[in-house]
């Protein structure tokens, strides 16, 4: 199974402590042990508290903020690999539904202790952490699946949208047609468009376009790729078409967008001097 332990931790947050908006390089399962806070991902906002958790996705923009009066205490396990998404699907977790409940409240603490007890200088420490990770994930999935059996079934239309969004997110950097997405989901193309507008308030084409331009914005800000390389990275083989669509969505050409980011960064640095 292609899933690899990266790191773990626990944090007692200060009032209004925040992280982001930004992108993590790994997947994270976050467990809230006390307090409250806000988690934002993919344009959705979740108000969370003790006994709830959420997923931080690799390469999906997100934001976290602790409550001002009752800041949360949370812990996490970070991991990577191509086997993560199928694992989340077993637990009925997706970017549209990244939140879960768990019990007992300190269920994760014993795993934290096991991770921390591994001697980093020992020759088998990596294997031991990997073993702990697999046990944790197995227990976590079993817990969520058992809980979900007590909840109302997901509406078919929500399941269609979730499957479509996951396919688009995994393939946005390739040639994707809405007809192909509808075929993968197993419904008519027109019905897929109706569901997107009903649930997400955008057409499938606009959702794909917005996603590609958001990814392009991140690459323009956080990489040294050329405009052409960014274009190919988000699914456009024609850099001119990419530039036209980017300006349509973001209001600036890719080159002007990157120049503005650099200018704003330099102004921010100079203000700290």
């Amino acid at each position: 199974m292609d899933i690899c332990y990266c790191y773990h931790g626990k944090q007692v947050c200060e009032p209004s402590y925040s992280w982001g908006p930004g992108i993590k390089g790994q997947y994270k399962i976050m467990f809230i042990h006390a307090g409250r806070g806000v988690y934002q991902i993919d344009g959705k906002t979740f108000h969370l508290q003790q006994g709830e958790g959420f997923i931080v996705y690799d390469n999906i923009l997100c934001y976290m903020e602790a409550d001002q009066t009752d800041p949360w205490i949370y812990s996490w396990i970070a991991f990577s690999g191509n086997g993560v998404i199928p694992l989340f699907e077993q637990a009925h977790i997706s970017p549209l539904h990244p939140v879960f409940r768990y019990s007992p409240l300190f269920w994760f603490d014993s795993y934290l202790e096991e991770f921390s007890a591994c001697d980093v200088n020992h020759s088998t420490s990596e294997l031991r952490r990997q073993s702990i990770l697999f046990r944790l994930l197995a227990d976590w999935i079993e817990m969520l699946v058992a809980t979900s059996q007590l909840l109302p079934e997901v509406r078919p239309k929500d399941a269609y949208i979730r499957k479509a969004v996951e396919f688009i997110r995994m393939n946005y950097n390739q040639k994707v047609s809405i007809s192909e997405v509808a075929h993968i989901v197993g419904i008519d193309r027109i019905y897929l468009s109706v569901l997107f507008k009903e649930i997400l308030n955008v057409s499938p084409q606009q959702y794909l376009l917005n996603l590609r331009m958001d990814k392009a914005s991140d690459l323009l800000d956080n990489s040294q790729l050329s405009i052409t390389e960014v274009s190919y990275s988000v699914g456009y083989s024609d850099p001119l078409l990419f530039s036209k669509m980017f300006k349509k969505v973001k209001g600036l050409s890719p080159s002007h967008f990157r120049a503005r980011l650099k200018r704003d960064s330099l102004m921010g640095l100079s203000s700290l001097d």
Side-chain angles (χ1 to χ4, degrees):
M1 185 178 292
D2 182 16
I3 300 175
C4 183
Y5 166 88
C6 296
Y7 56 90
H8 69 281
K10 188 172 185 177
Q11 183 171 353
V12 179
C13 295
E14 297 292 330
S16 299
Y17 168 82
S18 65
W19 184 92
I23 293 176
K24 296 289 188 180
Q26 305 84 25
Y27 299 94
K28 279 187 176 182
I29 303 178
M30 309 287 295
F31 300 89
I32 305 169
H33 300 287
R36 295 177 293 157
V38 171
Y39 178 53
Q40 296 177 345
I41 181 175
D42 204 23
K44 290 192 172 186
T45 299
F46 301 90
H47 297 270
L48 305 174
Q49 59 186 347
Q50 182 186 53
E52 294 180 311
F54 58 94
I55 302 299
V56 175
Y57 276 79
D58 174 20
N59 287 326
I60 297 183
L61 197 69
C62 68
Y63 174 79
M64 304 171 229
E65 182 177 336
D67 188 76
Q68 186 174 10
T69 59
D70 187 18
W72 51 17
I73 300 172
Y74 52 46
S75 55
W76 62 84
I77 172 69
F79 45 95
S80 61
N82 294 328
V84 176
I85 295 298
L87 200 72
F88 285 168
E89 290 178 348
Q90 292 184 46
H92 309 296
I93 293 290
S94 72
L96 286 177
H97 303 278
V99 173
F100 60 90
R101 294 193 60 84
Y102 67 97
S103 181
L105 293 178
F106 300 102
W107 173 81
F108 185 51
D109 283 8
S110 61
Y111 287 104
L112 279 179
E113 293 172 1
E114 286 193 63
F115 280 124
S116 299
C118 289
D119 184 354
V120 295
N121 296 316
H122 198 280
S123 60
T124 61
S125 61
E126 184 175 345
L127 288 174
R128 291 183 183 277
R129 286 198 176 99
Q130 198 73 358
S131 173
I132 298 168
L133 172 63
F134 284 138
R135 287 194 288 111
L136 182 154
L137 292 174
D139 287 347
W140 177 69
I141 290 174
E142 288 177 0
M143 177 175 60
L144 296 192
V145 169
T147 303
S148 68
Q149 292 174 351
L150 303 176
L151 299 176
E153 292 186 4
V154 177
R155 295 183 305 169
K157 59 175 62 178
D158 291 330
Y160 290 143
I161 287 294
R162 182 175 65 183
K163 189 172 182 180
V165 166
E166 288 173 354
F167 179 80
I168 291 172
R169 284 195 163 277
M170 292 179 65
N171 296 277
Y172 72 90
N173 57 350
Q174 304 177 43
K175 186 176 180 180
V176 177
S177 70
I178 304 307
S179 295
E180 180 185 8
V181 177
H183 176 73
I184 293 295
V185 173
I187 59 177
D188 179 78
R189 182 181 186 277
I190 296 177
Y191 184 49
L192 179 66
S193 297
V194 170
L195 291 183
F196 260 81
K197 291 179 181 178
E198 175 184 337
I199 297 174
L200 300 180
N201 296 317
V202 294
S203 67
Q205 295 90 336
Q206 190 64 45
Y207 183 90
L208 174 60
L209 177 62
N210 291 344
L211 175 63
R212 282 173 164 170
M213 296 308 114
D214 286 344
K215 296 292 186 181
S217 298
D218 294 335
L219 292 174
L220 290 169
D221 188 18
N222 300 306
S223 77
Q224 300 301 316
L225 296 178
S226 67
I227 303 299
T228 297
E229 289 169 334
V230 171
S231 172
Y232 276 95
S233 298
V234 297
Y236 284 88
S237 58
D238 183 349
L240 293 178
L241 177 59
F242 162 70
S243 296
K244 177 182 178 181
M245 301 310 294
F246 188 91
K247 185 174 183 179
K248 179 181 179 181
V249 174
K250 299 297 183 180
L252 292 171
S253 68
S255 57
H256 287 151
F257 182 85
R258 172 173 273 172
R260 188 182 69 177
L261 289 173
K262 290 182 178 179
R263 184 185 69 245
D264 291 347
S265 177
L266 290 173
M267 290 177 64
L269 289 175
S270 63
S271 66
L272 297 175
D273 295 338

